Amino acid sequence: MTTQYDAVIVGAGFGGMGAAIQLNRLGYDNLLILDRESDLGGTWHVNRYPGLAVDIPSATYSYSFEPNPYWSRLFAPGDELKRYAAHVAQKYDIRRFMRFNTAVTGAVWDAEHEHWTVSVRGSTPVTAKYLFAATGFLSQPKKPDIDGIDTFAGKVIHTTDWDDGYDLTGKRAAVIGTGATGVQLIPEVAKVVRELTVYQRTPIWVSPKLDFSVPKAVQRAFAAVPLIQRVARFAGSALLEMLMVTGVLHYRQLPLANKLGERLCRAYLARQVRDRQLRRKLTPNYTFGCKRPTFSNDYFPTFTKDHVHLETAPIARVDETGIVTVAGDRRDIDVLLLATGFDLWETNFPAIETIGREGRNLGKWWRENRFQAYEGVAVPKFPNYISLNSPYSYSGLSYFTTIESQMRHIDRLFTVMRRRGADTFEVTERANDAFLARMTERVGDTVFELGQCATANSYYFNPHGEATLLRPSSTVNAFREARRFPVDDYAFGSPVGR
Ligand code: NAP
């Protein structure tokens, strides 16, 4: 039985595209990228809600090897990200590998033929020597399990499935959810609706967003002298690392960093909202960093508008015409906007059923043991498998830090494998155990262990209560290890030895 592809990559977002570019650089040209959506871009294809923008400076939130001098703002709007994704695919000639509207339903390691058999809904399975899961972290929308929600007779829109044809003007709207998406969406919705009620379960730490449009002259300078933009990227990344990563990961040594973050957000809230009771409702009761904080200049002031109401009593039920809280207050609405985020742990680890050597089921194994992956990419008994969205894989605040450190890991792994005349790899149990022990120890220093995180409802924590999403190390460490991990952490198998 011949193997059809060198590699199958599941997901045509920035992670999957990074993997394809890296494999192409290594000389693999027989690739297949499968995506259930109708086009590339992952989260930036799916999300189109009003107010969508990056919340990491754009020079940092992009591939370092493909800077875009033409970002219109420091924090670019969502549609520019989608265009950037299309540009990268075109320039690196990887669109030809992509097949859209193709949902992958599972993957099984075929030990006899030493390849992966990947099942595709409504089509025949495909086989590949290597399998890359690039299914994202925030890709399975969470529909809230609220009593009666299906009986609502008005319009319901989840932020990942925005209905561009629906006009919110003059409507009575409700938003459920005050995460990073809600923070972007709520001010925009408030501008056009007649009445807006925001249902908040957990408040979010919000700091000022130093956003501005990038003058054309600066864009031209970035284009003419890319070094200038590289310096801007470096400065932005270093600042984010200092502000958002160091304090979180080194909470034991530097609790002051988080305290400062909290102080800044509190002072900002106090300046924007005079009403004490409203301020109290908008103030989180968990330590800064337990959950991803966000930036906005118009989120808090939105709640001071007469037609905007902040509801903090839990929702009891939704009925045909509106929402009723446990306190018995009801509000009739025309449209229900769900900014309720994503299922991570339940449906995304892994996003497809993945069966490795000796029948090991990845999802079951993670649940029955602990969520773990060597260097955030490899798992014992899963040969020739790289999982880009694994426990401990998210490094730094910009997702591109994760992607590019993983590209380096792939580069080293495949280079060594081929130098040894091998074509299979599998991380050893010993290396995986040592990595897990090291990460577990490091998490002990973080805000997740030492801060007040119990009330944060943070998706950084897995169902076992462990903070296993973020890699508890600096981004410099992640890059260093990607370049220098001991190659004997992997066992290689060569065709000649078989
Ligand atoms: P999220 O952070 O998970 O927030 C979901 C919100 O919905 C939370 O406030 C949650 O409350 C609430 N919620 C969920 N189920 C509920 C229920 N049954 N009843 C009441 N409230 C409920 O999701 P998100 O805002 O979509 O953001 C997810 C991540 O996406 C962000 O952390 C960020 O990393 C990324 N993001 C990035 C950008 C950007 O870069 N531009 C923009 C948006 C999002 P609890 O907190 O109590 O669970």
Side-chain angles (χ1 to χ4, degrees):
M1 185 190 198
T2 53
T3 303
Q4 290 168 279
Y5 295 97
D6 292 336
V8 162
I9 298 169
V10 187
F14 282 122
M17 285 169 51
I21 291 168
Q22 186 59 55
L23 287 169
N24 228 214
R25 283 176 180 164
L26 285 159
Y28 295 99
D29 201 47
N30 180 21
L31 308 178
L32 178 65
I33 305 175
L34 300 173
D35 200 297
R36 66 184 179 192
E37 301 298 335
S38 60
D39 199 7
L40 55 77
T43 202
W44 300 101
H45 170 67
V46 170
N47 283 284
R48 295 183 322 277
Y49 60 83
L52 175 68
V54 280
D55 60 4
I56 304 286
S58 306
T60 297
Y61 192 88
S62 45
Y63 297 110
S64 63
F65 55 85
E66 189 53 38
N68 171 19
Y70 302 110
W71 296 120
S72 68
R73 304 189 66 80
L74 183 63
F75 296 91
D79 58 340
E80 285 186 33
L81 267 295
K82 165 80 186 173
R83 287 205 296 278
Y84 173 72
H87 158 78
V88 172
Q90 167 93 16
K91 177 158 174 189
Y92 291 83
D93 196 18
I94 53 174
R95 205 183 250 280
R96 66 198 160 106
F97 303 130
M98 296 179 184
R99 199 190 289 170
F100 299 112
N101 300 309
T102 308
V104 172
T105 53
V108 182
W109 174 249
D110 177 336
E112 188 191 339
H113 300 101
E114 295 196 318
H115 64 204
W116 284 93
T117 302
V118 180
S119 309
V120 176
R121 184 168 301 136
S123 183
T124 46
V126 292
T127 57
K129 192 77 194 164
Y130 306 102
L131 174 64
F132 288 74
T135 44
F137 294 104
L138 304 165
S139 55
Q140 316 287 350
K142 193 200 298 179
K143 302 261 163 61
D145 186 16
I146 298 172
D147 212 20
I149 196 158
D150 293 331
T151 65
F152 180 58
K155 179 82 176 169
V156 181
I157 306 177
H158 192 281
T159 50
T160 56
D161 190 18
W162 198 257
D163 183 347
D164 300 308
Y166 185 80
D167 186 4
L168 288 167
T169 312
K171 298 285 191 323
R172 296 165 304 166
V175 172
I176 302 179
T178 52
T181 301
V183 166
Q184 293 185 337
L185 175 75
I186 288 162
E188 296 305 310
V189 172
K191 283 179 193 161
V192 293
V193 297
R194 170 152 55 100
E195 205 76 42
L196 172 62
T197 308
V198 175
Y199 290 83
Q200 171 191 275
R201 191 163 66 181
T202 309
I204 183 166
W205 289 110
V206 182
S207 63
K209 188 171 185 180
L210 304 172
D211 195 14
F212 49 83
S213 64
V214 181
K216 289 274 181 251
V218 173
Q219 294 179 16
R220 280 197 296 272
F222 282 167
V225 190
L227 181 67
I228 304 176
Q229 197 177 20
R230 273 214 289 279
V231 171
R233 178 189 175 96
F234 179 78
S237 307
L239 192 68
L240 277 176
E241 181 87 0
M242 206 171 67
L243 290 178
M244 314 294 271
V245 181
T246 309
V248 168
L249 301 185
H250 300 289
Y251 188 74
R252 187 187 296 282
Q253 298 81 6
L254 284 170
L256 261 184
N258 287 47
K259 286 266 169 305
L260 272 176
E262 264 184 47
R263 287 244 172 97
L264 171 71
C265 294
R266 276 180 199 277
Y268 186 52
L269 174 60
R271 219 187 60 190
Q272 293 196 316
V273 176
R274 291 265 156 250
D275 179 337
R276 275 178 156 224
Q277 207 193 341
L278 178 58
R279 226 156 55 203
R280 205 170 309 122
K281 285 182 176 179
L282 288 166
T283 306
N285 65 350
Y286 55 85
T287 310
F288 181 91
C290 290
K291 177 176 203 159
R292 199 178 189 282
T294 193
F295 313 89
S296 174
N297 297 331
D298 46 8
Y299 178 65
F300 290 140
T302 300
F303 293 98
T304 63
K305 296 187 159 70
D306 288 341
H307 71 298
V308 179
H309 318 285
L310 177 64
E311 182 54 79
T312 54
I315 297 170
R317 63 180 187 281
V318 175
D319 59 26
E320 240 180 68
T321 57
I323 301 182
V324 184
T325 68
V326 292
D329 293 325
R330 74 162 296 123
R331 220 165 253 283
D332 283 337
I333 53 170
D334 306 306
V335 54
L336 175 55
L337 304 172
L338 302 175
T340 44
F342 304 86
D343 268 329
L344 262 87
W345 298 101
E346 294 308 331
T347 56
N348 236 7
F349 282 83
I352 52 172
E353 184 174 75
T354 309
I355 313 286
R357 210 158 51 76
E358 296 169 18
R360 178 176 281 182
N361 178 313
L362 184 57
K364 261 197 185 162
W365 187 70
W366 272 340
R367 278 156 189 79
E368 288 168 4
N369 295 274
R370 292 171 63 197
F371 286 86
Q372 53 194 288
Y374 169 76
E375 292 289 343
V377 294
V379 186
K381 293 212 170 27
F382 289 85
N384 291 9
Y385 175 62
I386 295 286
S387 174
L388 300 175
N389 306 103
S390 289
Y392 300 118
S393 63
Y394 200 109
S395 175
L397 208 67
S398 164
Y399 185 36
F400 283 85
T401 312
T402 305
I403 295 170
E404 292 200 30
S405 60
Q406 293 177 331
M407 288 172 76
R408 287 196 193 181
H409 190 103
I410 294 166
D411 187 24
R412 177 167 170 78
L413 173 60
F414 278 73
T415 303
V416 170
M417 177 181 72
R418 294 193 310 179
R419 201 183 297 141
R420 292 187 175 191
D423 66 354
T424 63
F425 65 82
E426 182 184 323
V427 70
T428 65
E429 298 273 5
R430 174 194 50 76
N432 179 64
D433 291 350
F435 181 79
L436 178 61
R438 197 150 52 86
M439 292 300 110
T440 306
E441 193 186 329
R442 284 195 180 185
V443 169
D445 281 346
T446 66
V447 71
F448 308 124
E449 284 284 317
L450 303 170
Q452 305 280 346
C453 291
T455 51
N457 272 352
S458 168
Y459 64 71
Y460 291 162
F461 292 81
N462 69 31
H464 302 159
E466 292 181 300
T468 51
L469 184 69
L470 304 187
R471 180 191 172 105
S473 81
S474 67
T475 56
V476 172
N477 171 278
F479 275 100
R480 193 172 48 231
E481 290 196 11
R483 269 195 309 261
R484 295 196 201 148
F485 63 85
V487 287
D488 290 335
D489 282 356
Y490 284 94
F492 298 101
S494 62
V496 281
R498 289 196 279 271

